[in-house]
Amino acid sequence: MKLYLRTLFIVFLCIPALAQSPDPKAILKRIQTSKQDTNRVLAYIEYGQYLENQNLDSAAKYYLKADALSEQLNYDIGRFKFRSNYTYILNLQGKFEEGLKLNRESLEIAKRMKHQVNIGKSYANIAASYTYMGNFTEAIKYYQQSASQFDKLGMKEFLPRLYISIGTAFEHANLFNKSVVYKQKALQLARPMKDSLQLTDILTNIGGCYFNLKKYDEALAHFKEGLVVAEKIHSDIFITQAYAGLCRTNRLLKNLDEAWIYGQKGLDLARKSGNVFLELDCLRALMFLAEDAKKIDLSAKYTKEALTIAEANNMTDHLVELYEDYATDLARQNNYKGAYDYLMKYSILNDSIQGIDIQKQLQELDTKYLTAQKENQIVTLEKEKQTRNTLIYGLVAGLVGLLIIAILVYRNIAFRRRVAEQEVLQLQQEKQLVATNSILKGQEEERTRVARDLHDGLGGLLSGIKLTLNSVKGNVILPEESAMTFTRALTQLDGAISEMRRVAHSMMPESLVRFGLIDALSDFCEGISASGRLKVHMQAFGFDDKRLDSQVEVVLYRIIQELLNNVLKYADASEAQVQLTWVENHVSVTVEDNGKGFDIKNLEQNKGAGLRNVQARVDYLNGTLDIQSKPGEGTSVLVEIVL
């Protein structure tokens, strides 16, 4: 049975730019105006790619120029691009060994540059060379290495071409079902990519697969779609390829007129472009048509031309069927010896290519590749799972972090609010303290002024009156009754003078101003003791002959004065103790009594004006006030200030 083994045409991974329709005039201008540098190398390569669909010899000339300049510049990228592109032309010309050699060199260059993408491309190009040479085991091995490389790099855009190439290798080993699986995968990936050159290649490939599976309607649909796409991009190679497929398919669908038209168009276009593969493909398609039409001589002519091309280019996979076909043609011409020789060539070559061992090797390779793909998928899924878990943990940690930050921000705001409230309270207290200080200072100043006025003004006036009256008493003889009245008036005047002096002394003791706190307090305590109402004992430590600041002395005097007045008014005490201590910059005042005491818990609710004045004066000195008392156990008041 004669099967359609599609002419192998591989679009190399290094030339996807063809689908972008480069401007040839712009490229030539770059070549003419650029220096002998790497830019000119790249321009040579780009113009060679443009010429591939028009004239292979011209394209080869520019590729060779790129190679020569790359060697001169020691430019590895140029060396790689030359080999990847030039081997494409060598393969179309049937120079497979030379193409394989250059592809292996390009792999070494890519590894030297550590360029992972170019390593993947080199694997694919080496596989293509092996496919052209009929070594499908090696071809599939390298194609699968290339696919794994690009899959690992995440470059899915290269996979359609690789799947097509793997499918073609299986096709040439007569594993057509396996072939169509890979090619359908390629088509599924290629359609969204909007790459017309790649799409038409895949469509005509799948058409050939369906032809070999005898699914002619599916084959016809794919060939026609491939022809439409190829004509849109003016690709003579793929137009020719579609013509050859349509010729074969229409022949088996008994559309013979259309088959002849497509076959002849394809042959003319293949010869015009110099593509020996497509010429061979069209010759074989026309050979079958001539045979069906009973045009034996014409069929033999096409077969001989195709065989000549296959032998000249060492197209092993095509030689298998051509040997069988030509043997049949020779037998029809009664050349049985020649027919036998070609039949033996067919048998030997067919066994070497399509033997059971080869097919088993290909199946094993495919199984290994699929297993590796599954393992990669498992690894990928594990990585995705790990990434998701990391993301979840990260989100949880982020949320916890945000929560902590929110708490810290809230605490900071609350702290700032408390600090602000404390500052406001402190300002209010300071304001109140300043007001209190001003009041106290004003009171002391007013007390001093009034005391001075009483002593100097009223005291002097009263003393003058007394002297005048005493003078009158000595010079005037009064009746006894009047003398008694006069004497009583003098006595009352003495009492008024004493009371005025007492009030003045109470308001601002003269001894406090002249002699200091200790002497003033001693006089004050002795005065209370002399009254008989309360026995006051006073002690002073650390003062010696030193004096405090006058303002501090006045305030401390008023504090002790107020505390002793409270003892007189409320304590029902018989004795009181006043103690002053001055150690370095600390001064303490203690006033204790043996009175009835009181419950300290009720102090805040029942604090009188006297204690409030004491507290205000202590605050004025930035000191502390501590009151200790129990009912029936007396009271102790401690005042401490820091100078």
Side-chain angles (χ1 to χ4, degrees), residues 225-498:
E225 186 181 355
L227 178 61
V228 171
V229 177
E231 287 175 339
K232 285 182 180 179
I233 61 174
H234 307 292
S235 174
D236 290 344
I237 292 175
F238 288 113
I239 292 173
T240 306
Q241 197 164 270
Y243 281 155
L246 289 169
C247 174
R248 293 178 180 277
T249 307
N250 278 297
R251 166 185 164 253
L252 292 176
L253 291 173
K254 306 303 181 183
N255 301 324
L256 300 182
D257 291 338
E258 290 186 35
W260 277 108
I261 293 171
Y262 283 125
Q264 197 58 53
K265 282 184 177 181
L267 182 60
D268 294 342
L269 195 56
R271 285 174 172 170
K272 178 183 175 183
S273 64
N275 190 319
V276 293
F277 282 97
L278 295 178
E279 182 181 359
L280 177 67
D281 202 19
C282 292
L283 283 170
R284 295 196 65 219
L286 291 169
M287 175 191 72
F288 290 126
L289 270 176
E291 185 177 330
D292 290 347
K294 307 300 182 184
K295 298 178 181 180
I296 305 302
D297 293 338
L298 183 59
S299 175
K301 172 179 173 294
Y302 287 140
T303 305
K304 180 60 177 174
E305 290 177 4
L307 184 58
T308 301
I309 293 171
E311 287 180 333
N313 294 285
N314 194 26
M315 299 178 182
T316 307
D317 52 323
H318 294 287
L319 284 172
V320 174
E321 289 199 352
L322 288 171
Y323 283 150
E324 183 183 19
D325 293 336
Y326 197 54
T328 303
D329 290 335
L330 291 176
R332 288 173 181 164
Q333 296 172 0
N334 298 321
N335 186 352
Y336 297 112
K337 183 178 184 305
Y340 176 77
D341 291 340
Y342 276 99
L343 195 60
M344 288 301 296
K345 288 181 180 181
Y346 159 77
S347 179
I348 293 169
L349 190 58
N350 185 60
D351 289 343
S352 67
I353 294 177
Q354 300 175 15
I356 300 300
D357 291 339
I358 296 295
Q359 291 196 8
K360 284 183 178 179
Q361 290 179 30
L362 294 177
Q363 293 281 12
E364 288 174 1
L365 278 174
D366 186 56
T367 301
K368 289 178 181 179
Y369 174 66
L370 293 176
T371 302
Q373 273 193 326
K374 289 179 181 178
E375 290 175 353
N376 289 335
Q377 288 176 354
I378 292 171
V379 171
T380 302
L381 289 174
E382 288 294 330
K383 288 182 178 179
E384 290 176 355
K385 181 181 177 182
Q386 186 176 359
T387 302
R388 284 197 302 271
N389 290 340
T390 303
L391 180 60
I392 291 170
Y393 294 147
L395 288 173
V396 171
L399 289 174
V400 171
L402 287 174
L403 182 60
I404 292 172
I405 291 171
I407 292 172
L408 292 175
V409 169
Y410 174 77
R411 291 182 62 184
N412 185 52
I413 292 172
F415 174 75
R416 288 175 179 271
R417 186 167 59 246
R418 287 196 300 272
V419 169
E421 290 173 352
Q422 289 174 357
E423 289 177 351
V424 170
L425 182 60
Q426 184 176 357
L427 287 173
Q428 290 176 344
Q429 290 175 345
E430 289 177 355
K431 182 178 178 181
Q432 185 178 1
L433 183 60
V434 169
T436 303
N437 293 342
S438 300
I439 293 171
L440 291 175
K441 186 176 181 181
Q443 286 178 347
E444 293 303 326
E445 290 175 352
E446 184 65 17
R447 284 171 181 266
T448 302
R449 186 189 65 80
V450 171
R452 186 170 55 251
D453 289 347
L454 286 173
H455 185 274
D456 296 342
L458 183 60
L461 180 61
L462 292 174
S463 295
I465 294 171
K466 180 180 178 182
L467 288 173
T468 301
L469 291 175
N470 284 329
S471 175
V472 171
K473 180 180 178 182
N475 296 322
V476 178
I477 299 174
L478 296 172
E480 183 178 354
E481 184 178 350
S482 297
M484 292 179 61
T485 302
F486 188 81
T487 302
R488 188 166 55 252
L490 286 177
T491 302
Q492 290 176 346
L493 180 60
D494 287 336
I497 291 171
S498 298

Side-chain angles (χ1 to χ4, degrees), residues 82-100:
F82 158 72
R83 284 163 175 76
S84 298
N85 286 276
Y86 190 60
T87 51
Y88 171 76
I89 293 177
L90 292 176
N91 287 331
L92 292 179
Q93 293 174 344
K95 300 175 182 179
F96 307 131
E97 293 288 348
E98 189 177 347
L100 178 61

